[in-house]
Amino acid sequence: MKKYILYVSALASALFTLPSCSDFLNQMPKSALTEDQVFGDIENIIPAVDGLYTSFRGSKHGREGWSLQLLGLDEAKQGEVQMGDAEQSGLDYYNGALNGTHSKVTAFWNRRWPTVSSAANAIYALDRAAEQIDDAATQARIKLLKGDACFIRAMLMFELTMLWGEVPVIDMATTVNSARQPLSVVWDQIISDFTYAAENLPERQTADPRRATSGAALAMLGKVYMYAPAETGLRDYSKARDYFAQIMSRYSLDPSYAHLFSVDIEFDSPESIFELDYFCDWNGYSCWQWDMGSRTVANTLGEPCYYSGYDVVLPTEFAYKMKSEGGLWEEGDLRREVSIRFNFDYEPTGQVFTTPAWGADELDPHIKKWEDMRTDAILGTSQAPTKSMYLAGKNYLMLRFADILLLYAECLNELGQTGDAVNIVNQVRERAWGGALPAAYRWSSMSAEEFRTQIMDERIRELCFEGWRRMDLIRTGKFVELIRQRNKWAAQSGTIQPFHMRYPIPDSEIRNNADISAEDQNPGYN
């Protein structure tokens, strides 16, 4: 982390080199511009803020950015061949291979801190600019830019603390310390950042839909008060409900669940609250399909098939089977076919796949949500000039209204309004059956405890493989119980423990950061 606090910031097109955060204001200029010139003209700061969105998107790229964080859960696991890698298998086995030397965990950690640092630098620069500029229009522009930077910093810090617990807090306006900070300090900064964003970002972004809105910040504030660890004293279902309530009239459910995952949807759904903009080229691809497709298909059709890949992240049996088989799904729920691939036959050439090429599960159900047909050699389009599943570039609806509706329902249940909560969930389920929810599948009277159990499964049906499940299991205290029951590899090893709710602090961080010692390692990994 230390090296990222000292990271060469994107601020003002990298005008400053920061050998020490505390020396930020005392550095001799390394370019033709002085600090006063930079702070006195926000045009020199805008590129840094614009770049935060690209950097945030990049932090999710590939298996070391996002897709491997889907592993080791009750909804997703690794393919059989991947489990032959002792280090990687630790993400599902939860054994001794999951430790501070784990290269993927280290990469998760390292991917995020440069953008946190850049956001902190931008916030500081904008505050300085606000002190020097009197023009009202420019002051308004500064608030918008700071809202952007606060939103991105808070999004990353939310993720970092959910996955690692106590983490450093970077704030250039105060004493900068790269030591791990108490949870209350971390969450206070997250709340402050999202609050500023909610108060200063616009309700809609018409010129640049990639940017966050006040609605996205309000949605995250609601999440904060549901996901914050109980020991912080911040978990508050009333506050979460109130934040969610503020955006209920701003968004609506997309009439079609399948439309949410169409390649043509980009920023074009009434359900989208905040999404990351990916492209089918080398400059903006997500690379997720590489991990989620079938090796058997790849061995035969190669990269230019939109559902080939390397079986890194697969649905668990629970996540793809019907309830009658001990799984999750109910008859007629359209979300199952949208989310999961069951058929691997390639219709354009008539090729049929019946025998796995290597691992026995290569023709078992796979994740379908992130397939991008534009990357297919036969079925693709000019939007993907290079045909390769590696270049999948479907947008990621990171925050969408259905997620918020289900969380809002949880709040109501916890506040003694279970009947109202059930009605809200039925709105989401209505769409899942194409607008005609059969009476047999309509939720009706249930106890608060029954609701708590049922909503966890409903969140998989609606949000499977969208990146929220690990945090849902952590916040509800169901991490060990449900993973042990439903994840084949975790059940096989039998070693998952409550301390695994946090990842280990990378050993490289402990070696290179004078403010973090071996004693600061998360318990259980020492």
Side-chain angles (χ1 to χ4, degrees):
M1 227 308 285
K2 186 84 166 183
K3 63 183 177 181
Y4 294 120
I5 289 185
L6 310 181
Y7 187 75
V8 179
S9 170
L11 173 61
S13 302
L15 289 175
F16 300 106
T17 301
L18 305 181
S20 167
C21 286
S22 60
D23 292 337
F24 183 77
L25 296 179
N26 300 320
Q27 293 301 301
M28 293 298 291
K30 302 300 192 298
S31 75
L33 295 181
T34 67
E35 289 174 353
D36 284 342
Q37 288 173 312
V38 171
F39 294 138
D41 185 351
I42 66 166
E43 295 301 319
N44 295 319
I45 306 173
I46 288 172
V49 177
D50 291 345
L52 293 175
Y53 284 95
T54 302
S55 298
F56 184 55
R57 181 188 70 190
S59 75
K60 304 290 185 186
H61 167 82
R63 67 180 58 179
E64 294 183 351
W66 184 73
S67 56
L68 285 195
Q69 290 181 61
L70 303 181
L71 295 176
L73 303 177
D74 59 342
E75 70 174 19
K77 62 178 178 62
Q78 288 180 78
E80 183 176 288
V81 170
Q82 301 297 329
M83 294 300 287
D85 182 319
E87 181 191 60
Q88 190 161 300
S89 66
L91 294 167
D92 273 281
Y93 278 145
Y94 291 100
N95 58 14
L98 180 57
N99 59 45
T101 67
H102 198 286
S103 63
K104 300 300 188 296
V105 172
T106 300
F108 296 163
W109 174 272
N110 288 346
R111 278 280 185 94
R112 284 145 183 80
W113 288 109
T115 309
V116 173
S117 180
S118 292
N121 282 323
I123 290 166
Y124 183 74
L126 289 163
D127 285 342
R128 283 291 310 277
E131 295 171 358
Q132 298 186 30
I133 300 172
D134 295 328
D135 177 67
T138 305
Q139 285 283 349
R141 180 63 173 144
I142 287 172
K143 289 181 178 180
L144 285 172
L145 291 167
K146 183 178 174 181
D148 285 322
C150 285
F151 181 83
I152 295 297
R153 180 170 69 175
M155 288 293 282
L156 285 161
M157 291 299 290
F158 180 90
E159 182 178 40
L160 284 160
T161 190
M162 287 298 300
L163 299 180
W164 278 277
E166 295 86 355
V167 293
V169 169
I170 305 178
D171 186 344
M172 300 301 181
T174 62
T175 301
V176 178
N177 189 331
S178 55
R180 301 179 74 184
Q181 298 298 306
L183 288 176
S184 59
V185 174
V186 178
W187 285 93
D188 281 347
Q189 186 197 60
I190 293 169
I191 291 170
S192 177
D193 277 353
F194 280 136
T195 300
Y196 188 92
E199 292 173 349
N200 291 282
L201 290 176
E203 186 171 324
R204 296 189 179 277
Q205 293 279 12
T206 54
D208 186 354
R210 297 174 307 154
R211 301 180 97 94
T213 61
S214 59
L218 289 167
M220 286 306 302
L221 279 167
K223 279 185 178 271
V224 163
Y225 284 105
M226 290 186 72
Y227 287 70
E231 59 264 36
T232 64
L234 292 170
R235 187 170 295 188
D236 188 323
Y237 291 104
S238 294
K239 285 186 178 180
R241 174 203 59 196
D242 292 346
Y243 280 118
F244 293 145
Q246 291 184 56
I247 62 172
M248 285 295 141
S249 63
R250 299 192 191 183
Y251 307 96
S252 60
L253 291 175
D254 196 303
S256 168
Y257 187 78
H259 182 243
L260 292 167
F261 306 99
S262 164
V263 296
D264 301 320
I265 189 178
E266 299 184 349
F267 306 107
D268 189 32
S269 171
E271 189 164 331
S272 174
I273 299 175
F274 179 68
E275 60 187 271
L276 299 184
D277 191 22
Y278 288 101
F279 305 93
C280 297
D281 60 36
W282 293 107
N283 295 316
Y285 62 109
S286 71
C287 197
W288 298 342
Q289 185 58 34
W290 181 271
D291 292 334
M292 298 179 188
S294 169
R295 184 188 299 265
T296 297
V297 175
N299 280 2
T300 303
L301 298 177
E303 291 183 16
C305 173
Y306 70 98
Y307 55 86
S308 58
Y310 288 96
D311 314 287
V312 179
V313 188
L314 304 181
T316 61
E317 290 190 18
F318 176 78
Y320 71 73
K321 284 186 173 181
M322 302 296 293
K323 268 195 168 184
S324 59
E325 304 171 300
L328 176 72
W329 296 96
E330 300 155 306
E331 292 291 341
D333 190 332
L334 302 176
R335 295 173 294 189
R336 184 172 185 251
E337 292 292 331
V338 172
S339 302
I340 302 169
R341 170 167 293 282
F342 295 92
N343 182 2
F344 295 87
D345 298 342
Y346 191 65
E347 292 184 8
T349 60
Q351 287 169 286
V352 176
F353 297 94
T354 58
T355 305
W358 192 351
D361 55 7
E362 290 175 8
L363 296 177
D364 286 354
H366 279 52
I367 296 171
K368 184 179 180 181
K369 269 185 176 176
W370 307 114
E371 293 175 357
D372 190 339
M373 194 176 292
R374 295 172 295 185
T375 65
D376 191 274
I378 297 175
L379 302 172
T381 69
S382 60
Q383 294 178 57
T386 302
K387 306 303 182 183
S388 169
M389 80 291 197
Y390 196 74
L391 297 179
K394 189 181 289 185
N395 272 20
Y396 172 32
L397 275 69
M398 189 173 189
L399 287 173
R400 59 185 181 89
F401 190 52
D403 176 16
I404 301 308
L405 276 177
L406 294 177
L407 291 174
Y408 184 53
E410 280 193 64
C411 291
L412 295 180
N413 180 62
E414 296 301 326
L415 296 170
Q417 299 172 260
T418 304
D420 292 336
V422 164
N423 291 336
I424 288 173
V425 174
N426 280 331
Q427 293 177 35
V428 177
R429 288 171 65 77
E430 187 86 32
R431 182 191 47 195
W433 270 263
L437 179 61
Y441 296 120
R442 183 173 294 278
W443 285 18
S444 57
S445 178
M446 63 177 66
S447 69
E449 188 56 39
E450 288 173 323
F451 185 94
R452 293 185 191 106
T453 299
Q454 294 298 325
I455 196 67
M456 286 295 285
D457 286 353
E458 187 64 20
R459 284 184 65 77
I460 295 186
R461 297 184 192 105
E462 180 64 31
L463 301 164
C464 55
F465 325 123
E466 295 184 39
W468 292 107
R469 188 60 179 180
R470 181 176 294 273
M471 297 181 189
D472 281 345
L473 291 170
I474 291 169
R475 72 177 170 87
T476 59
K478 296 291 184 179
F479 188 89
V480 173
E481 175 189 344
L482 295 183
I483 292 173
R484 184 179 285 156
Q485 288 176 10
R486 299 168 175 176
N487 183 295
K488 171 184 176 179
W489 307 121
Q492 188 180 99
S493 67
T495 52
I496 187 172
Q497 299 294 327
F499 74 80
H500 287 121
M501 286 190 290
R502 293 181 174 184
Y503 285 134
I505 300 295
D507 278 5
S508 59
E509 188 65 45
I510 292 172
R511 289 196 307 271
N512 297 322
N513 186 342
D515 295 320
I516 296 179
S517 68
E519 289 71 32
D520 294 315
Q521 179 61 273
N522 277 328
Y525 294 108
N526 294 320

